[in-house]
């Protein structure tokens, strides 16, 4: 009820965590909040509630925000839009909302008019929609995203990772060579995704060890 943004942000998190479905209309209003902490949290909560009847309205919001993001003169807060689209696309994948596939496919190509985080979410969601449904042309496109590592502007690691996962969900045996080529990148995330997909398609298991670099610094009040 106040102008401060922290209250709405925490209220949204609680409502989503408690699966309080009557909050859905208010969540749609909060999508237009000026603060990314509130506006993105509203998208997250709508995804967590997973109310089938809200899917058409969520899709309309995704279409609107996509248009605003790609309109350079819209003055839209791109951080908000990217975070919201990521949440909405994940919801479409989780809830098997096939009507969103055409829109999400426009995020697969590598270009400057699609937000990065939303691209990865779109590829992941399409993979969910296509689980067990082989789409050879799509699998070929995703394999190209996975293999784009030597161009002047290499593909994002998150998009490569989700592309490998989507290939595995489709059981696209035609793209086994691409998965095998990059499984050697493990323990990187794309390499892990390739290993996961190879096991799901062929049953072959690739074992690798995890290594993590930890940087240690003195506490800024440490005695000298």
């Amino acid at each position: 009820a106040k102008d401060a943004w922290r209250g709405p942000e925490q209220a949204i998190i609680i409502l989503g965590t408690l699966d309080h479905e009557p909050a859905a209309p208010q969540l749609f209003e909060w999508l237009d909040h000026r603060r990314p902490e509130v506006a993105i949290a509203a998208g997250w909560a709508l995804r967590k509630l997973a109310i089938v009847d809200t899917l058409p309205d969520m899709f309309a919001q995704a279409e609107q925000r996509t248009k605003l993001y790609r309109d350079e003169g819209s003055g839209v807060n791109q951080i908000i839009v990217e975070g919201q689209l990521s949440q909405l696309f994940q919801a479409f994948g989780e809830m098997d909302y096939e009507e969103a596939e055409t829109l999400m496919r426009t995020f697969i190509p590598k270009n400057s008019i699609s937000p990065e985080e939303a691209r990865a979410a779109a590829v992941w969601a399409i993979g969910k929609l296509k689980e067990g449904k082989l789409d050879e042309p799509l699998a070929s496109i995703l394999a190209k995203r996975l293999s784009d590592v030597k161009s002047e502007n290499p593909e994002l690691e998150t998009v490569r990772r989700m592309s490998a996962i989507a290939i595995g969900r489709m059981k696209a045996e035609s793209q086994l060579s691409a998965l095998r080529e990059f499984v050697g990148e493990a323990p990187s995330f794309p390499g892990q995704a390739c290993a996961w997909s190879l096991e799901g398609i062929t049953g072959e298991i690739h074992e690798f060890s995890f290594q993590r670099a930890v940087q240690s610094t003195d506490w800024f009040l440490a005695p000298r």
Side-chain angles (χ1 to χ4, degrees):
K2 298 182 179 181
D3 292 335
W5 59 268
R6 290 179 178 84
E9 178 199 30
Q10 295 303 310
I12 289 169
I13 293 172
I14 293 171
L15 292 169
T17 302
L18 295 179
D19 196 28
H20 187 66
E21 295 187 359
Q26 181 67 62
L27 293 174
F28 277 102
E29 293 182 18
W30 271 325
L31 287 174
D32 293 322
H33 200 279
R34 69 187 186 281
R35 293 285 304 208
E37 296 88 348
V38 176
I40 296 173
W44 170 85
L46 286 168
R47 176 171 73 87
K48 294 292 289 183
L49 293 181
I51 304 171
V52 173
D53 289 345
T54 63
L55 279 170
D57 289 335
M58 292 170 68
F59 181 64
Q61 292 288 339
E63 285 188 311
Q64 179 194 52
R65 278 152 174 73
T66 297
K67 185 177 184 300
L68 288 173
Y69 188 95
R70 292 173 176 175
D71 181 359
E72 294 182 358
S74 68
V76 67
N77 185 320
Q78 294 186 336
I79 294 175
I80 290 177
V81 171
E82 180 170 5
Q84 289 181 332
L85 286 175
S86 173
Q87 295 298 325
L88 293 172
F89 289 166
Q90 290 178 69
F92 299 150
E94 292 167 350
M95 300 173 70
D96 199 27
Y97 191 62
E98 296 181 352
E99 289 83 348
E101 181 180 343
T102 299
L103 173 64
M104 294 191 296
R105 276 180 178 253
T106 66
F107 284 76
I108 297 178
K110 183 177 63 178
N111 53 51
S112 61
I113 61 172
S114 296
E116 297 179 358
E117 184 179 340
R119 286 188 62 219
V123 173
W124 178 87
I126 291 172
K128 289 284 287 183
L129 294 177
K130 294 294 183 180
E131 190 155 14
K133 306 170 186 176
L134 180 59
D135 184 330
E136 288 287 6
L138 176 60
S140 178
I141 292 171
L142 295 176
K144 290 178 181 177
R145 294 297 90 235
L146 171 63
S147 303
D148 183 7
V149 295
K150 296 182 179 179
S151 64
E152 183 176 346
N153 181 27
E155 183 56 272
L156 298 168
E157 185 175 280
T158 50
V159 174
R160 295 182 60 227
R161 178 188 185 187
M162 299 310 168
S163 295
I165 291 173
I167 290 171
R169 286 201 165 111
M170 285 190 286
K171 307 293 185 185
E173 295 184 6
S174 60
Q175 306 306 326
L176 288 176
S177 59
L179 295 175
R180 288 176 175 140
E181 178 180 358
F182 295 103
V183 72
E185 291 185 3
S188 73
F189 286 132
Q192 293 177 42
C194 289
W196 179 86
S197 290
L198 284 169
E199 183 176 357
I201 297 173
T202 69
E204 60 188 83
I205 297 176
H206 294 262
E207 296 183 357
F208 46 85
S209 61
F210 290 91
Q211 297 179 354
R212 177 180 296 177
V214 179
Q215 183 178 2
S216 177
T217 59
D218 287 336
W219 177 248
F220 76 101
L221 292 179
R224 299 298 182 186

